[in-house]
Amino acid sequence: MARQDERSTIDQLMAAAAVGQGGALVVAGEAGIGKSALLDTAMDSLDGYTVLRTDGAEFEQELLYAALYQLCAPLLDLRAKLPPVQREALEAVFGLGPQTSPEPLTVGLAVLGLLHEMARKRPVCCVIDDAQWIDDASRQVLVFVARRIEAERIAMVFVARDAASVPGLAALPRLPLTGLPEEDARRLLGTVVRSGLDAELVERILAEAAGNPLALLEFAHDDGPFALPRVRPSLPHVGTALKSQFVHRFEQLPSDTQPLVVLAAAEPVGDLALLRRAAELLEMDPAALSVAEDAGLLTLGPRLTFRHPLVRSALYASATPGLRRRVHGALAEATDPVTDADRRAWHRAHAAVDADEGVAAELQRSSERARMRGGFSAAAAFMERAAQLTPEAGSRAGRLIAAARLHLQAGSPRAARALISKAEPGLEDSRHTQARLLRARIDFQLGHTPQATAALIGLATQLPGEQATEVYLEAIASIMFNDNQPGLLKTLGAAVQEQGRPGDASPADLLLHALLDQIRLPVEQAVPAMREAVTACRTAADSAAGHWRMNLACQLAIDLRDDAILREMTDQQVRAARSQGSLATLPQALRYQAISRIAGGGLNEAACVLAEAHALDEAAGSMRVVGVDLVLAAFRGDACHYRELKKLTGADGRPNETVGEQYARAVLYNGLGNHEAALQAALASQSRHRAGSYTLWAVYPELVEAAARVGRPQEAADAARLLERLARAHPSPWAVAQWLQARALLGEGENCDMLYREAIDHYAKTGVHIHHARTRLTYGEWLDREGRTAEARTELRAAYEMLSSMGVDAFAERAARKLRAAGEEPRPQDTDDDPLGVLTARERLIVGKVAAGASSREVAAALFLSPRTIDTHLHNAYRKLGISSRRQLRELSG
């Protein structure tokens, strides 16, 4: 048969995996095209491999981790070798330990760890057949693993009818299978057709089968009472013709056998003991299944298996609704309610004729178990079915809303919105607000529109205090950096003001009012509330009270220009997210940590932190936000990388990140000396501020510098006044230093020299070394213009050395140009100052963690990679650095 090329592709995948270059492949093609047969042949010829298999079952898609358990069951003894958090996650989802609602990424890492342990002994091949039918939780984990085995002795082969329709598979390499060429199709047909078969019928079979091997074999079948029906060319699809063929054969079975076959089709596991118990409850003789086996519909063995998944689905669909309910009822009664409660509930649901509160309650309990095991899709499916079977209208609507909330958590906002529409007519008045709030959150997730945010604001006014505060903060977070409707924040502020401030304010209340004061009030009036909120959030940072709020508190610390608190709070929230395994909040916490490192001049460290955030986003399938990356590229003066990043904002549903982008653009162009472009970016940000949108106060020093350089100091007047008010209301060294520098740049007062020196002295008391160096640069440029060349060289030299060592290249080049003009050639920076400069961001991240004492397994857990992948990156880094041990690495990292 003509499958040599396809077989060669699979053999190449296996050969690469055997030497530690693992990978994944999707074998795709219509039902019966020979996907499983090709894999069976390839697997049978593997020598020295551990082959693990799992099969998707059409009727098990709602059963949490069913396919994953089938694959991992032979490896579960190895779970003792996993880190505790991974072992506990695996035991939770497989029902082997306490239900702890583990993060899906942790489950994926645990499965990767199991496969890694097995692959240390011999290569592993995982075959996932009928991937279009595996449950969502299993699919997400298996796709996660498939994308992280490039350095492992692991191969993964997914088998699916249409890879594009299975989330996650479209991004993997694909091997499409098509029909056999006519010559091979004739040869295959000749092996099964009886002699003397009408030549015209042979041609019709070939035409109808279209090279599909299963169709060829089935259409040529002639076995006594199950003879081939006349093939009908009018059938629109080979799969439809095959189903018709199987149903025809089923209809020829004895009447006492047909219900047994439907019973078997309704039991996806193929558990013969369970089938016997259910058959006895239906007063059927299980022995009659042998007749169906003789007919070629199924095979009896340790497990009952159908000849092809199409057989199961076709025969189940052909049964009357009454018969399907009867067999599901018997299977539910025969299923152990203690060890297999969820499957029992699933069968009871399919057996129900009418609404049944008992069955609905059982399904609700299954939903809760699925939720506690981290399976939101399965939990949503159980809850939705529970709602359908709930007799009382109010309870039914409540369960529909619960199912919608679970669908939203599972990443299916459209399904959630559809359920809300069904629920709303049955909701009591008191619950309508909650339903509308959920709809507003869904609408925002789908479109990130100002209208959705406005809906959140409107609904918050109808909620009690603590709930209202949470929704208001959610609305602020949704538009703070991406406000495309100026004035929306003012509307929010007015709504909050009407409700008044609570007497016993929580950290969340203080944070909300501080953010709104910052937008609505003059600086000197806003600062007290901002300071109070930051203090309260610092105290509550390690509590369970919503770590996502800490991002907003960190932003207040940035705007207050308090670098010590900023570093403390960003480090604190990263530690809290790590210790609690809060992978949903860790990426954003890392981004704020990167901001603190940029301000401190640690650009390489910031790049490593951002690399980790991106690794987490990739692992979770989250949308990448690039605001902090833009700022990093701007300080580095990397205009090309900046432009590439800018293309990502607003594309493919991503937020525009307007606020961060305008600030980054002002920094970039000030560094490159294009002060006119910097001024336009800063003025655009200022204009948004005046219109009532949030603006980074950090943009105002950039505005002052740009305006001074192009001779338009009047355009910096408002910015300079804001900096003055901030410095007087909150005289932190950083705030005072930037005000003094602004006055010097604008030529305020008679003694600019003194202003520059005082600004430099204040910056020296801070950890914001990047701004300290920039102030020395502007001071040196001023001295040069004043004709004080010797003094200018001193400042410019210091600025150049500081900026170069930090990698702030564009500003460093500004200093270098002025030095040359002043008659001094800048001393080339010793490349040995950064021995790790030859490494990629990922390698540098790994090297930094290893140098700090982390093991490969610990680094792998942090980055959601396999230990072998970490070792591969580490060895590449060793080669680039010319070292061979972790001890040398620690010495080099210093």
Side-chain angles (χ1 to χ4, degrees), residues 158-214:
F158 294 83
V159 182
R161 294 182 185 174
D162 178 13
S165 66
V166 183
L169 296 195
L172 300 177
R174 190 180 311 179
L175 175 63
L177 291 192
T178 56
L180 297 173
E182 183 175 347
E183 182 180 346
D184 292 307
R186 286 184 181 278
R187 190 178 304 121
L188 176 60
L189 187 59
T191 63
V192 294
V193 75
R194 66 183 185 274
S195 60
L197 186 67
D198 182 79
E200 181 182 350
L201 185 54
V202 169
E203 294 302 322
R204 292 177 64 191
I205 292 172
L206 288 168
E208 182 70 23
N212 184 298
L214 180 62

Side-chain angles (χ1 to χ4, degrees), residues 304-327:
L304 183 148
T305 57
F306 282 85
R307 175 164 185 198
H308 190 276
L310 272 181
V311 180
R312 181 194 294 276
S313 59
L315 302 191
Y316 181 85
S318 72
T320 64
L323 177 57
R324 288 200 295 266
R325 286 194 293 269
R326 283 177 57 213
V327 299

Side-chain angles (χ1 to χ4, degrees), residues 469-470 473-475 477 545-553 573 585:
T469 298
E470 288 294 327
L473 285 171
E474 187 177 346
H547 292 295
W548 65 270
R549 294 195 213 115
M550 287 295 291
N551 297 327
L552 298 175
Q573 70 167 341
T585 60

Side-chain angles (χ1 to χ4, degrees), residues 333-374:
E333 192 173 347
T335 299
D336 190 321
V338 176
T339 61
D340 213 351
D342 294 340
R343 187 171 272 110
R344 181 177 184 273
W346 182 85
H347 281 304
R348 287 194 70 194
H350 283 76
V353 177
D354 203 352
D356 186 319
E357 177 57 31
V359 178
E362 192 172 340
L363 287 165
Q364 184 169 348
R365 289 191 291 272
S366 290
S367 175
E368 179 61 17
R369 283 191 293 269
R371 186 188 66 79
M372 289 299 295
R373 292 161 65 191

Side-chain angles (χ1 to χ4, degrees), residues 642 661-671 677-679 681-682 699 702-703 774 811:
Y642 178 91
E661 191 275 329
Q662 288 174 337
Y663 168 65
R665 186 153 34 108
V667 171
L668 175 70
Y669 287 120
N670 269 334
L679 179 60
V699 79
E702 303 299 330
L703 194 161
R774 285 183 61 184
F811 287 98

Side-chain angles (χ1 to χ4, degrees), residues 456-543:
L456 284 174
I457 296 170
L459 287 165
T461 63
Q462 305 172 38
L463 296 170
E466 187 175 343
Q467 278 187 285
T469 298
E470 288 294 327
V471 176
Y472 282 132
L473 285 171
E474 187 177 346
I476 288 177
S478 71
I479 58 173
M480 196 167 178
F481 297 99
N482 189 38
D483 183 2
N484 293 317
Q485 186 176 325
L488 195 55
L489 282 170
K490 282 188 174 180
T491 302
L492 193 157
V496 173
Q497 190 175 30
E498 283 185 15
Q499 292 194 343
R501 299 197 182 208
D504 185 17
S506 68
D509 292 320
L510 294 172
L511 180 60
L512 172 62
H513 287 280
L515 288 164
L516 293 174
D517 284 357
Q518 183 185 5
I519 296 162
R520 297 168 53 246
L521 301 178
V523 173
E524 61 273 16
Q525 296 178 35
V527 164
M530 294 169 66
R531 294 174 65 173
E532 185 180 12
V534 168
T535 300
C537 289
R538 285 172 70 191
T539 304
D542 288 319
S543 74

Side-chain angles (χ1 to χ4, degrees), residues 523-524 527 558-561 686 689 696-705 716-732 734-746 748 763:
V523 173
E524 61 273 16
V527 164
I558 293 171
D559 287 331
L560 285 171
R561 316 314 270 165
Q686 182 185 62
H689 193 183
L696 293 169
W697 287 357
V699 79
Y700 290 118
E702 303 299 330
L703 194 161
V704 170
E705 178 174 350
D718 286 349
R721 280 193 293 271
L722 183 145
L723 296 177
E724 178 184 2
R725 290 168 178 168
L726 175 59
R728 293 187 184 280
H730 182 66
S732 68
W734 185 0
V736 173
Q738 68 180 14
W739 173 45
L740 293 169
Q741 183 187 14
R743 291 178 61 196
L745 281 164
L746 295 174
E748 292 185 6
Y763 270 127

Side-chain angles (χ1 to χ4, degrees), residues 230-286:
R230 299 301 294 179
V231 181
R232 294 176 291 167
S234 61
L235 287 174
H237 189 273
V238 173
T240 305
L242 278 169
K243 287 181 179 179
S244 176
Q245 181 77 5
F246 292 137
V247 171
H248 172 79
R249 195 180 306 174
F250 167 75
E251 290 171 345
Q252 307 306 310
L253 293 173
S255 59
D256 63 339
T257 303
Q258 290 182 16
L260 273 170
V261 175
V262 175
L263 176 70
E267 201 292 295
V269 178
D271 184 338
L272 284 172
L274 175 61
L275 287 171
R276 290 190 189 97
R277 293 196 300 272
E280 290 169 1
L281 290 169
L282 293 169
E283 298 181 348
M284 299 177 185
D285 182 5

